[in-house]
């Protein structure tokens, strides 16, 4: 079996385990009720999106330094999956916000910075499509891939630096997580599941990109 | 200037522009709400504000028939009476954080057009004591929004 | 006690499943369209 296949099956199993943890094992949260279970989708997707854009950053630096096409393909694939996951995070957060906050959307620092984040990497993908010469497309994209990562600390720390409607992180913060172990366990299983899904998508996507390049060149 | 040098210089210019855009975009939404103390220090009647604080215990009144809602928002230093017409979100309640949008009136109360509940980062299993929300909200209020 | 809003939970997970499924199907389709498939 190829790596992609193994990753695909692992991700499928982990996602199933994540659903069991999120809906079967974790308790109904005391303050919010069952709508809190959206968190098992919302938090892992953004954390894996951070990972995806960190990979874009590193792969872009490697590409500019070594001009290795493989690094460019990994950056391209990783950005695509990162945008997908960020989109899922935003949509699920909005659906959660309506019954809990009382609004689908508000322009606080967290929601604004994550929107900018999303748009920058969407721009990255659009730019890749707009430039015909693959070498130039890769070079320009690498610059955006590096600059876009500047926004990452802004997204994460916005809830500490400014007053926001969005609450601060519960898991990715100094000190113990502010939640019972069963909720934390459900989050961690889902985090692993989405990380595996990310890896599967990136491996598969960069292979397709490699074969596209082969077919063209 | 070499090709590489121009490329680096161009990249630096783009980086600076992008950083500025991002920073100004976020700082515009940085003062997301004012606190009761800040509002009371210089209230302007008729001006639109976003006001954030904790719903003071024992002040919440809601008439389900007329949808008339009134409560007091406090940050521990000052408090502001708020009136609203409508159904509040689920997480809204006494001793919990809330952000309200509306106008300060000449009559000395805050007329809210929208009520938002602020959630804390604490999650609890059922029957785990004090409602989450209070501590997180007070923490937010104590940090100075720049 | 707050209401549960199962409809919202279902909507969030449903939209996520659709998006992930659509992306997966796109990858499979791109893979099939290319010439010279490697043995799997």
């Amino acid at each position: 079996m190829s790596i992609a296949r193994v990753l695909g099956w692992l991700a499928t199993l982990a996602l199933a385990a994540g659903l069991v943890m999120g809906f079967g094992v974790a308790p109904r949260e005391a303050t919010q009720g069952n709508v809190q279970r959206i968190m098992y989708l919302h938090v892992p997707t953004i954390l894996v999106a951070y990972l995806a854009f960190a990979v874009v950053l590193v792969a872009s630096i490697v590409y500019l330094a070594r001009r290795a096409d493989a690094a460019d393909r990994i950056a391209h694939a990783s950005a695509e999956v990162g945008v997908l996951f960020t989109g899922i995070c935003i949509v699920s957060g909005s659906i959660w916000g309506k019954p809990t906050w009382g609004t689908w959307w508000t322009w606080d620092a967290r929601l604004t910075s994550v929107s900018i984040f999303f748009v920058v990497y969407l721009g990255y993908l659009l730019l890749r499509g707009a430039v015909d010469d693959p070498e130039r497309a890769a070079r320009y994209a690498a610059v955006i891939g590096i600059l876009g990562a500047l926004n990452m600390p802004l997204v994460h720390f916005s809830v500490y630096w400014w007053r926001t409607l969005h609450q601060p992180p519960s898991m990715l913060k100094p000190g113990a997580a502010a939640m019972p172990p069963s909720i934390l366990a459900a989050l961690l299983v889902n985090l692993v599941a989405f990380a595996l899904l990310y890896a599967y998508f990136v491996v598969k996507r960069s292979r397709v990109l490699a074969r596209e390049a082969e077919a063209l060149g | 200037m070499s090709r590489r040098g121009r490329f680096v210089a161009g990249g630096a210019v783009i980086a600076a522009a992008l950083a500025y855009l991002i920073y100004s975009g976020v700082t515009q939404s940085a003062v997301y709400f004012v606190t009761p103390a800040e509002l009371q220090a210089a209230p302007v009647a008729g001006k639109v504000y976003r006001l954030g604080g904790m719903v003071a215990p024992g002040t919440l009144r809601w008439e389900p028939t007329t949808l008339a809602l009134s409560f007091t928002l406090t940050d521990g230093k000052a408090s502001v009476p708020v009136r609203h017409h409508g159904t509040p979100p689920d997480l809204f309640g006494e001793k919990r954080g809330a952000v309200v949008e509306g106008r300060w009136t000449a009559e000395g109360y805050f007329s809210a057009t929208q009520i938002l509940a602020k959630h804390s980062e604490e999650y609890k299993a059922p029957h785990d004591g004090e409602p989450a929300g209070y501590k997180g909200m007070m923490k937010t209020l104590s940090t100075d929004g720049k | 006690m707050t209401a549960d809003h199962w409809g919202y939970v279902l909507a969030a997970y449903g939209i996520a499943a659709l998006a992930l499924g659509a992306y997966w199907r796109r990858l499979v389709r791109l893979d099939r369209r290319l010439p010279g498939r490697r043995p799997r």
Side-chain angles (χ1 to χ4, degrees):
Chain A
M1 273 209 289
S2 69
I3 296 171
R5 279 215 134 177
V6 174
L7 281 173
W9 282 113
L10 284 177
T12 310
L13 286 174
L15 284 170
L19 285 175
V20 170
M21 290 298 289
F23 286 87
V25 176
R28 180 183 186 278
E29 206 267 334
T31 317
Q32 295 180 40
N34 281 316
V35 76
Q36 177 268 335
R37 296 184 199 275
I38 291 176
M39 189 192 190
Y40 306 126
L41 185 62
H42 181 70
V43 173
T45 44
I46 196 62
L47 292 182
V48 176
Y50 287 164
L51 169 73
F53 296 131
V55 169
V56 174
L57 170 70
V58 172
S60 299
I61 292 172
V62 170
Y63 175 76
L64 286 184
R66 302 253 174 87
R67 297 296 152 118
D69 288 338
D72 175 55
R73 288 192 292 267
I74 288 171
H76 185 176
S78 191
E80 219 172 81
V81 183
V83 165
L84 176 71
F85 280 25
T86 308
I88 290 174
C89 169
I90 291 174
V91 170
S92 63
S94 177
I95 292 173
W96 174 86
K98 182 61 185 167
T100 35
W101 287 346
T103 185
W104 299 103
W105 190 263
T106 186
W107 291 104
D108 83 345
R110 172 56 80 78
L111 277 68
T112 305
S113 58
V114 85
S115 308
I116 296 171
F117 204 46
F118 182 73
V119 169
V120 164
Y121 287 97
L122 202 61
Y124 172 101
L125 295 176
L126 291 176
L127 177 93
R128 298 205 69 118
V131 179
D132 283 333
D133 175 28
E135 194 272 330
R136 265 185 33 210
R139 194 148 38 97
Y140 296 164
V143 174
I144 297 185
I146 293 167
L147 299 182
L150 290 176
N151 198 8
M152 224 185 310
L154 205 65
V155 175
H156 190 71
F157 293 108
S158 56
V159 286
Y160 293 120
W161 292 344
W162 296 285
R163 290 176 192 161
T164 56
L165 184 63
H166 196 288
Q167 59 276 18
S170 310
M171 191 170 67
L172 211 63
K173 68 179 185 88
M179 55 182 75
S182 50
I183 291 182
L184 182 63
L187 271 176
L188 290 175
V189 171
N190 277 290
L191 182 61
V192 170
F194 278 98
L196 285 168
L197 187 64
Y198 160 78
Y200 166 67
F201 279 162
V202 167
V203 167
K204 203 155 168 66
R205 184 70 180 111
S206 24
R207 274 195 190 170
V208 169
L209 286 169
R211 283 174 44 215
E212 268 172 5
E214 242 171 62
L216 282 173
Chain B
M1 206 189 262
S2 70
R3 233 180 98 79
R4 202 183 181 84
R6 263 184 317 197
F7 188 65
V8 169
V13 169
I14 297 171
L18 197 69
Y20 174 75
L21 271 179
I22 291 171
Y23 188 77
S24 62
V26 174
T27 41
Q28 271 191 7
S29 53
V31 183
Y32 181 67
F33 55 79
V34 297
T35 62
E38 286 164 355
L39 179 72
Q40 295 288 28
V44 181
K47 193 181 167 190
V48 175
Y49 291 96
R50 218 185 249 133
L51 178 71
M54 191 191 76
V55 180
T59 62
L60 180 61
R61 306 264 179 285
W62 191 55
E63 296 290 333
T65 45
T66 60
L67 297 180
L69 178 74
S70 73
F71 54 92
T72 299
L73 272 187
T74 177
D75 58 359
K77 285 175 253 165
S79 47
V80 174
V82 181
R83 290 186 207 169
H84 177 69
H85 184 82
T87 311
D90 275 1
L91 278 192
F92 180 80
E94 287 182 353
K95 293 177 81 178
R96 293 209 188 141
V99 175
V100 298
E101 289 174 19
R103 285 169 198 282
W104 175 251
T105 63
E107 290 80 40
Y109 67 89
F110 193 91
S111 171
T113 50
Q114 196 179 18
I115 308 277
L116 302 174
K118 188 166 169 24
H119 184 250
S120 87
E121 75 274 33
E122 284 164 41
Y123 296 86
K124 289 187 186 324
H127 320 298
D128 216 15
E130 192 83 345
Y134 171 76
K135 269 196 225 156
M137 188 63 198
M138 292 317 273
K139 231 183 285 165
T140 323
L141 288 175
S142 61
T143 60
D144 245 25
K146 272 160 273 172
Chain C
M1 204 15 94
T2 50
D4 279 323
H5 302 292
W6 279 115
Y8 287 85
V9 178
L10 198 72
Y13 278 86
I15 290 170
L18 282 178
L20 294 173
Y23 186 71
W24 179 70
R25 285 188 44 172
R26 176 169 165 261
L27 287 187
V28 171
R29 211 175 43 239
L30 284 173
D31 196 43
R32 290 220 178 107
R33 209 191 288 157
L34 281 165
R37 285 178 73 188
R38 295 211 185 106
R40 314 234 253 146

